[in-house]
Amino acid sequence: ALFPGLNRRLVTLPINFVTPFVREVLLSLGMLASSKESFENVLSQGSGSSVVVVVGGADEAVETTNGEIRLVLEKRKGFVREAIKSGARLVPVLAFGENDLYEVQHFAPDHLITQIQKFVKKTFTFSAPVFRGRSIFFKNLGMMPFRRPVFVTVGPALTVPHIPDFDKRNDDHIKALDSAHACYIKSLVQLYDDIKDHPLQPYASPKRERAAFHRAETKTEITDGGAEMKQGGLRLVS
């Protein structure tokens, strides 16, 4: 194993456990509902226990854009709070090429499909992106991911303050939360900067016409929303 001794438990939306058969498949894979109780139960088991969470969730799914990494992180602090409460460490993970596994269609903010997507997310807590993949018999039509490389990188573990009795009404606790959250984002951006020119990651390959992560195309700037953005590469969506 790449990381021996770790009991990794992937969390997903609770609604995914409502559908029969799908629930059994997820449970057989050791997956859990993304609730506060799940975090507490796993992390309370001590050293070697870990929770794998896709922080952006439903909002990030509809942001999927080929050739870019769009992350919804600015307002997502729940996972940091649970790490602080349990004394766990945060480990940033970034996947180059993941957003090329499917072709996702984007629509204007006032488009009917966009309004339907917003209604579905608000009502059922999951997103409904319009996407296209492949199938067994068709290379450009289906729900299976395209056969494209994904380069997964893992950054160094980040130590956060241990506050078992975390209280959101305590200003010192909130400052510790904000500081740990900012440190996580900084580490994730640094991980991107360290890997974006690696010859093995798919976007840096000279064989591809669209090399979205070349150094010349990744100037850092600050957007109107205050979120740090990498042009043509990493985007932190507020």
Side-chain angles (χ1 to χ4, degrees):
L2 186 59
F3 299 103
L6 281 183
N7 176 25
R8 296 177 295 275
R9 304 298 295 272
L10 180 64
V11 297
T12 183
L13 292 173
I15 195 171
N16 290 330
F17 291 91
V18 175
T19 307
F21 180 70
V22 174
R23 176 183 61 239
E24 279 64 39
V25 172
L26 296 179
L27 291 174
S28 68
L29 295 174
M31 298 179 68
L32 303 170
S34 56
S35 63
K36 181 174 63 174
E37 291 74 19
S38 295
F39 278 82
E40 293 176 349
N41 289 336
V42 174
L43 297 179
S44 64
Q45 297 174 17
S47 179
S49 301
S50 63
V51 176
V52 181
V53 55
V54 181
V55 180
D59 290 329
E60 197 169 284
V62 296
E63 290 286 343
T64 300
T65 301
N66 294 154
E68 290 185 353
I69 303 177
R70 294 192 177 189
L71 304 179
V72 178
L73 282 174
E74 294 297 310
K75 299 179 181 179
R76 304 301 174 93
K77 300 181 181 181
F79 71 104
V80 181
R81 181 192 64 237
E82 295 305 318
I84 289 176
K85 290 171 61 178
S86 63
R89 290 187 290 179
L90 296 172
V91 181
V93 178
L94 202 57
F96 291 82
E98 181 183 18
N99 284 355
D100 274 7
L101 296 179
Y102 290 97
E103 303 283 349
V104 178
Q105 181 68 41
H106 296 279
F107 302 92
D110 58 346
H111 196 282
L112 176 60
I113 294 182
T114 303
Q115 301 306 314
I116 294 175
Q117 290 175 328
K118 291 181 178 180
F119 171 79
V120 170
K121 180 180 179 300
K122 182 178 180 180
T123 305
F124 302 105
T125 71
F126 66 86
S127 59
V130 179
F131 68 93
R132 176 177 61 86
R134 61 177 295 273
S135 62
I136 297 176
F137 303 104
F138 301 97
K139 293 183 178 180
N140 294 305
L141 180 64
M143 299 184 66
M144 296 172 59
F146 291 113
R147 292 176 178 175
R148 295 170 178 170
V150 178
F151 192 84
V152 180
T153 60
V154 181
L158 306 174
T159 301
V160 299
H162 185 196
I163 309 177
D165 56 344
F166 183 89
D167 187 352
K168 62 181 181 181
R169 295 168 295 183
N170 187 308
D171 291 339
D172 291 335
H173 292 181
I174 295 299
K175 289 180 180 178
L177 173 64
D178 291 340
S179 177
H181 181 259
C183 183
Y184 175 82
I185 292 180
K186 181 180 179 180
S187 178
L188 199 62
V189 173
Q190 184 61 51
L191 178 62
Y192 168 80
D193 284 334
D194 292 341
I195 303 296
K196 67 176 183 289
D197 295 321
H198 195 288
L200 294 182
Q201 68 98 345
Y203 297 132
S205 173
K207 297 180 180 180
R208 295 193 51 173
E209 295 181 359
R210 182 182 58 202
F213 295 98
H214 283 173
R215 183 179 301 278
E217 299 176 357
T218 54
K219 182 179 68 176
T220 303
E221 69 175 17
I222 303 298
T223 65
D224 292 338
E228 190 172 12
M229 182 181 72
K230 295 288 184 178
Q231 292 181 332
L234 179 67
R235 294 173 183 261
L236 302 183
V237 183
S238 59

